[in-house]
Amino acid sequence: MVFGFIKKLTGKDKELVKEGDELFNRGDYYKALAKYNEALEINKDNIDAKKGIEYIKEIENLKRRGYKLFNECKYSEALERYEKILKLNPNDKKVKDRIEDIKIIMLKKEGNKLMSKKEYDKALIKFEEVLKLNPNDLEVKNKINEINRIKTEKAFKYYVELGDKEFKNNNYLKAKDYYNTALSYKNDLKVKEKIKEVEKLRKIRTLKEEGKRLSNNGNYINALKKFEEVLKLNPNDKEAKDKVNEIKEKAFKYYVELGDKEFKNN
């Protein structure tokens, strides 16, 4: 009793509590508990030692409950228990690691669920959050690659469909813009051929417009050249064929009339 009293006077119990606190902060609760109990043997009224023991008991209870919930795949409830431990000891590395593991599992689960519902943007956010916690997660990297591939293919098809729609409506410039946007997502030979066809049709339309304008102004020779260029691009263009015949007929009449006029003027 005297020896214990001397230790109390020299503050040995406080020294033990300090050592216990250091062990507590490192998450070594077993050794910390021994230090706190030793301090209480010297000074049964040491409040800090009692508080440390209470914390350890609460932490151990939370750990047991959290572990059980984790094994039952009740991740949200398990996470709640482990986060309570961190409030008692923010330096517990093992608990921090377990919280990170649980968050990764939950994020993956949510990401996979969103992916199955084809909510790819939302799923991508979840998987990217996983990589912030674990940059080397190969499974998640593959999921992100798959989502990006799906999104790319989806965007490609979307712009091709828009291009086809404008193409059918003879809006060739818009069609070309949409096809070029589609190519920014995927290098596709068929789309490149569509662009070539669009450019050809745009050229044909321009040639026809110029040919009609020249014909209306009586410039039959140059008008004829325009429609003959059209037929080089598309030998089966009925409108161009008809215009060629029409212009030749007009030109024939025009030059006959000029000849008759000159004939009359001797």
Side-chain angles (χ1 to χ4, degrees), residues 52-101:
I53 291 170
E54 287 176 8
Y55 275 11
I56 289 172
K57 285 180 179 178
E58 189 174 352
I59 286 170
E60 290 303 323
N61 284 332
L62 287 167
K63 274 190 174 182
R64 281 192 294 271
R65 184 58 182 155
Y67 182 77
K68 185 175 183 295
L69 289 166
F70 179 84
N71 288 335
E72 292 171 354
C73 299
K74 296 177 180 179
Y75 301 117
S76 294
E77 293 176 53
L79 183 64
E80 188 180 325
R81 300 309 188 280
Y82 286 114
E83 285 177 338
K84 282 182 179 180
I85 294 173
L86 275 193
K87 288 180 181 179
L88 296 170
N89 182 12
N91 300 311
D92 193 318
K93 187 179 183 304
K94 288 182 179 178
V95 170
K96 284 181 179 179
D97 291 341
R98 177 48 66 101
I99 286 174
E100 186 174 291
D101 290 341

Side-chain angles (χ1 to χ4, degrees), residues 36-176:
Y36 293 139
N37 282 324
E38 194 177 342
L40 287 178
E41 287 176 6
I42 296 169
N43 179 8
K44 65 179 181 180
D45 297 320
N46 190 304
I47 295 173
D48 292 330
K50 287 180 180 180
K51 187 177 179 182
I53 291 170
E54 287 176 8
Y55 275 11
I56 289 172
K57 285 180 179 178
E58 189 174 352
I59 286 170
E60 290 303 323
N61 284 332
L62 287 167
K63 274 190 174 182
R64 281 192 294 271
R65 184 58 182 155
Y67 182 77
K68 185 175 183 295
L69 289 166
F70 179 84
N71 288 335
E72 292 171 354
C73 299
K74 296 177 180 179
Y75 301 117
S76 294
E77 293 176 53
L79 183 64
E80 188 180 325
R81 300 309 188 280
Y82 286 114
E83 285 177 338
K84 282 182 179 180
I85 294 173
L86 275 193
K87 288 180 181 179
L88 296 170
N89 182 12
N91 300 311
D92 193 318
K93 187 179 183 304
K94 288 182 179 178
V95 170
K96 284 181 179 179
D97 291 341
R98 177 48 66 101
I99 286 174
E100 186 174 291
D101 290 341
I102 292 172
K103 285 182 176 179
I104 287 173
I105 291 169
M106 291 174 68
L107 285 167
K108 283 184 178 181
K109 190 176 179 181
E110 291 169 12
N112 287 328
K113 186 177 179 180
L114 288 164
M115 198 170 172
S116 67
K117 292 163 67 176
K118 297 184 179 180
E119 295 182 27
Y120 299 116
D121 289 331
K122 291 181 181 179
L124 193 60
I125 291 170
K126 298 297 179 183
F127 290 133
E128 285 173 344
E129 285 181 31
V130 172
L131 287 187
K132 288 177 184 177
L133 297 171
N134 181 15
N136 299 316
D137 194 310
L138 184 60
E139 179 193 359
V140 168
K141 284 182 179 180
N142 289 335
K143 289 283 185 181
I144 289 173
N145 288 336
E146 185 180 351
I147 288 173
N148 287 331
R149 180 188 60 77
I150 291 169
K151 286 181 68 180
T152 296
E153 187 63 32
K154 189 176 179 181
F156 171 77
K157 287 181 179 179
Y158 173 73
Y159 285 108
V160 169
E161 287 173 2
L162 285 179
D164 289 344
K165 184 179 179 181
E166 296 298 336
F167 183 88
K168 288 177 182 178
N169 293 328
N170 298 325
N171 295 324
Y172 301 129
L173 188 59
K174 284 187 177 180
K176 184 181 178 181

